[in-house]
Amino acid sequence: MAFTQQSISKALDWAYEIALTGGVPGTNDAYELAEEYLKRKGELKDQVNALIRWQNTKSATSGFVTGFGGLITLPVTIPANLASVLYIQLRMIAAIAIMGGHDVKDDRVRTLAYACLCGNAAADILKDVGIQVGKKVAEQALKKLSGEIVKKINQKVGFRLLTKYGTTGVVNLSKAIPFIGSITGAIFDGVSTHIIGKTAKKFFIE
């Protein structure tokens, strides 16, 4: 299934909104998830690490979301397994941002959350707009991100994700070879979710 940068952007907005509002029945929203892990023993970084570990398992078995009615409201045609992974990963990122004391309804925080989905490449995207990773990223972003820069980052993220999940990507492999594709996809999603979680921790916590 081929899709465009615009459909990726719409899917991100959809996934982020339901991650905050709890639009998928039977799952916690990002606020509840953050609250749950903040109650755990240990320092903030340990609580965040525990959340990331749990999310790895969830995204590696992302088929669990695909049957939910929430996915029916997806505004664009993208593979359901990709939609579920985006939802799981953005909910994790938003929860980490909340744990770090950030307002996830702020467009600049949302843009940083989308950038986290690019994993290790997120640092390059931010560097292009003058934000240094490793120096209070979220704080810098809240000062520097004008509407124009937000738009620019969102475009770069859309392009990266389109390349990552393009027509020859792992997500589509599962259509051609269901059994092998689903195993490869699970490993791929679990590994990428771990990297994305660590990126979110670097942006919003450290």
Side-chain angles (χ1 to χ4, degrees), residues 80-100:
N81 55 343
L82 171 54
S84 64
V85 167
L86 287 177
Y87 159 71
I88 292 163
Q89 292 178 341
L90 280 171
R91 187 178 63 147
M92 171 186 70
I93 295 165
I96 291 170
I98 292 164
M99 290 169 83

Side-chain angles (χ1 to χ4, degrees), residues 58-111:
K58 286 293 183 190
S59 68
T61 55
S62 62
F64 91 102
V65 176
T66 348
F68 287 167
L71 288 176
I72 296 167
T73 62
L74 185 65
V76 286
T77 309
I78 69 167
N81 55 343
L82 171 54
S84 64
V85 167
L86 287 177
Y87 159 71
I88 292 163
Q89 292 178 341
L90 280 171
R91 187 178 63 147
M92 171 186 70
I93 295 165
I96 291 170
I98 292 164
M99 290 169 83
H102 301 285
D103 177 9
V104 287
K105 290 178 182 172
D106 186 314
D107 282 345
R108 295 165 298 181
V109 173
R110 178 194 286 247
T111 294

Side-chain angles (χ1 to χ4, degrees), residues 10-123:
K10 282 186 181 177
L12 290 179
D13 289 342
W14 166 83
Y16 193 80
E17 285 303 322
I18 66 166
L20 298 191
T21 59
V24 175
T27 64
N28 290 343
D29 62 33
Y31 293 99
E32 291 165 337
L33 200 58
E35 193 180 339
E36 181 188 328
Y37 279 85
L38 284 170
K39 285 177 183 170
R40 296 196 171 202
K41 288 180 181 175
E43 295 178 16
L44 180 57
K45 63 180 182 178
D46 301 320
Q47 294 165 337
V48 170
N49 286 337
L51 170 59
I52 294 168
R53 279 196 301 273
W54 181 76
Q55 291 297 289
N56 290 344
T57 313
K58 286 293 183 190
S59 68
T61 55
S62 62
F64 91 102
V65 176
T66 348
F68 287 167
L71 288 176
I72 296 167
T73 62
L74 185 65
V76 286
T77 309
I78 69 167
N81 55 343
L82 171 54
S84 64
V85 167
L86 287 177
Y87 159 71
I88 292 163
Q89 292 178 341
L90 280 171
R91 187 178 63 147
M92 171 186 70
I93 295 165
I96 291 170
I98 292 164
M99 290 169 83
H102 301 285
D103 177 9
V104 287
K105 290 178 182 172
D106 186 314
D107 282 345
R108 295 165 298 181
V109 173
R110 178 194 286 247
T111 294
L112 273 188
Y114 289 177
C116 289
L117 290 170
C118 298
N120 296 330

Side-chain angles (χ1 to χ4, degrees), residues 127-160:
K127 206 179 288 178
D128 286 348
V129 297
I131 294 172
Q132 295 300 313
V133 175
K135 297 180 181 177
K136 296 185 178 177
V137 180
E139 198 176 292
Q140 286 182 76
L142 291 174
K143 287 176 187 170
K144 291 185 179 182
L145 294 191
S146 63
E148 196 55 42
I149 292 178
V150 162
K151 202 181 291 181
K152 202 178 286 184
I153 293 174
N154 286 341
Q155 284 172 347
K156 287 174 182 284
V157 169
F159 180 74
R160 290 268 184 176

Side-chain angles (χ1 to χ4, degrees), residues 156-169:
K156 287 174 182 284
V157 169
F159 180 74
R160 290 268 184 176
L161 294 181
L162 185 61
T163 306
K164 180 178 175 180
Y165 293 118
T167 47
T168 56

